[in-house]
Amino acid sequence: MNNLGKRSRVASSISLAIATLMASPLIAAESDYELEKITVTASKRVENLQDVASAVTALSAKDLINSQITRTEDLVNLSPSLTFQSGGSDNASSFNIRGIGTQSYSSGVEPSIATVIDGVIMGRSGMAFNELLDVQRVEVLRGPQGMLFGKNASGGVVQIITNDPGDTFEAAINSKAILSGTDEYRVSGMVSMPVSDTLGIRVAAFTTERDDHINNVFNDRDVNGSKNKGGRVKIKWQPTDDLSVKWSSDFSERSGECCQPQPRSATPTEAFFLGAVSASEDNDSINVSAELYNESESWGHSLEANWELGEYTLTSISAYRDYNSKSNQDVDGTPLTLLDINAGESNQTQQTQELRLTSPQNQTLTYVVGLYYFEQRMNRDFQRVYHDIFGNFVPTFPGLKFGSQYEATVDSISYAGFGQFEVNISDTFRLLGGARYTNEQLDFEFEREQGAGVYAPIVANQALYQDSTKDTDFSFKVGAQWDMNKDVMSYVTLTEGYKGPAFNVIFEMTSDNTLPVAPETSNAIEVGIKSRLFNNHLVLNTALFQSNYDNFQAQAQDANSSAFTLLNAGEVRTRGIEVDFQARPNEDMMISGGLAYIDAQIVDFKGGPCSPRQVAINENSCGGNSQDLSGKDLPFSPNVKFNLSVEYFMSLGGDHELVPRATYRWQGDELFSMDQDKEKSQDAYGVLDISVRLESLDQSYSVTLFVNNALDENYVDAIIHNNIWAGSYDHFYSAKSERTAGIDFRYTW
């Protein structure tokens, strides 16, 4: 039996076990504790999750609160197909879905996973990682979503929907403190009120601080913490029954002495200079002399108008966003001043406009059609400074020519027409379809200056490189949906995906690598079943999928230099099976969870990168600094990942109840690099979180005591090789990789 067949058998066994549990005498024929119906906007119209012919993980505000999820990167705890690719800073990090994510941090490459906040796509990966403030729900759409969400969604979408102003006064305050382990404090609040019969306003704000958890023995300071603050104002105006207008403005700021990786394994030479720091798999100390910082600032405005034209709805979303970041890192990782990387400042601005028409659902042909415009400018300056052990410039490191800096500007413009429809052949059978036409242009300018030292005058100016490229694409979606009975729906879809051309706008840019990288295209087939069983006490959804990506855009690094190359890696393939479930076997218990069994593989990549260690020992025929990666695993995609949560509701009499909760999540081995270096792989691990919540039955307040990572399981967010000490490795020790205990208090008016 092949791997996919084995995965199907495993998922079927799990589904059968859940169904057997639900068939127990605990289930009554009728009850008042049925599962609530979940509504989503994955198809850009409000629908019941069980009616959407697509694999979607929907997380309510209650799900996020009860699971202690306060930041977007923590969503991976509740969505098994979603993984977080940490690069040490927001700009170098990204989401992966079903093994597909952004494999380059070049300014000329767009994300593979789109993050959408209140209908506005975030143009760069760094904009995706922030606090979840006053959120109504989060939807994780798995697989290519280009029909409705565009070229930034070739692998999937993380969609965040925040709360709107209401018709009545509301207010809430939340205070969270972790007092054991890595100290963390978070305070957030919200006020929503009607100003008049037609106008309402909602204001939300937060501040949070996580203590530094990595010790720098060089100056006996703790680093790698963060301080965040931000807020949002929403105004809703409904002058008539047919027209509503929403204005939203938000701001967030993040700063900290961050983010320096820690030595994991060291060559004898590096170990000598590390001094008191001992490289190991659980090392949480560094010994560096450079100034460390990682700062970002994000703000934006959007205007959404919905106009009811009879039974049709015309929607317009206009938005502007601005994102700035800067950071500095000690690359050699020792008290020596060999190499510092000052990422300088990166600025991204974007303007977007979406116009769409949504038909009513109670007709033979239902559809969403629209137009989309996206304009973006990226400005970045970047510096490298090289020294010897006495602080003097030394130009002899392989591939490192001079202390230097570059400035780059990347402009992109994209516009598209799109549509998605359903044809109701009968009451139980529907045909599905969709198409998107995309036209885009990408331009860049790049200039680098090379000097003979930190304070020396410029001795060489690299020629100004500039180029542009254009491309058009027509992609489609077809499928069918069949209601097997009133509680079970099945579907099959075939979807094409598209990710536009890119330029290799990074530090080592020469005439050899200024040619555009070809667009990345994909096709995905998905078969799913969604069911509500046992008198609506069990929701069980299963998806079987396979996606093939041609001209996959990947980043390779020369093992003997610091030069990176952006290239088309040929073909990659991801396939597997996913299961999501929620069960209410009786009035006192809630069980929920999910499973992802994913085989993400490189099908064809003959010129793949090698790590310095692989070259040194000629591992995998890396003597020529490259290797054939065909048939190898994609990074950042454990084969198996699952989560399981159990809550038990205990009445205390009167108006209160006590809710013990346990959540366990587990993932298999994870590879952190395309080069397949076994030293950049993490073993499987599992994390147990436990809590007990005292809450009022009217949901006006709650107090939660929690212990996260109760088993004190050690894990890291990423493993990288050191660019100075060939054969040495660093990791980013997770702030959550130790047992923490705390309290969470919430009050709502």
Side-chain angles (χ1 to χ4, degrees), residues 531-581:
S531 56
R532 302 182 72 90
L533 306 173
F534 304 108
N535 298 311
N536 199 27
H537 290 83
L538 170 66
V539 171
L540 180 62
N541 298 334
T542 303
L544 187 70
F545 67 90
Q546 176 163 318
S547 302
N548 290 78
Y549 289 76
D550 292 322
N551 287 326
F552 185 72
Q553 295 174 358
Q555 182 170 282
Q557 183 177 13
D558 187 332
N560 288 327
S561 76
S562 58
F564 286 90
T565 300
L566 182 67
L567 44 74
N568 293 115
E571 181 183 357
V572 304
R573 182 261 300 145
T574 174
R575 63 184 179 186
I577 191 166
E578 301 160 325
V579 178
D580 294 310
F581 70 90

Side-chain angles (χ1 to χ4, degrees), residues 600-617:
Q601 189 177 97
I602 304 166
V603 176
D604 180 22
F605 190 5
K606 292 183 173 57
C610 294
S611 74
R613 186 190 64 83
Q614 290 174 317
V615 172
I617 65 174

Side-chain angles (χ1 to χ4, degrees), residues 18 70 108 142 257 268 318 435 477 504 510 541 576 579 582 697 715:
I18 297 170
T70 58
R142 312 190 294 264
E257 281 188 275
S318 309
K477 174 180 180 178
N504 190 38
T510 67
N541 298 334
V579 178
Q582 189 177 42
L697 296 181
Y715 60 96

Side-chain angles (χ1 to χ4, degrees), residues 301-349:
H301 312 288
S302 67
L303 178 67
E304 178 180 339
N306 290 279
W307 187 15
E308 304 297 332
L309 304 173
E311 294 184 315
Y312 294 80
T313 303
L314 182 64
T315 300
S316 170
I317 302 178
S318 309
Y320 174 86
R321 296 210 61 84
D322 188 291
Y323 176 75
N324 296 277
S325 65
K326 61 180 180 179
S327 63
N328 189 69
Q329 189 179 98
D330 190 316
V331 175
D332 60 86
T334 70
L336 306 179
T337 52
L338 297 179
L339 171 59
D340 295 349
I341 286 187
N342 183 334
E345 292 201 26
S346 175
N347 171 254
Q348 184 259 11
T349 59

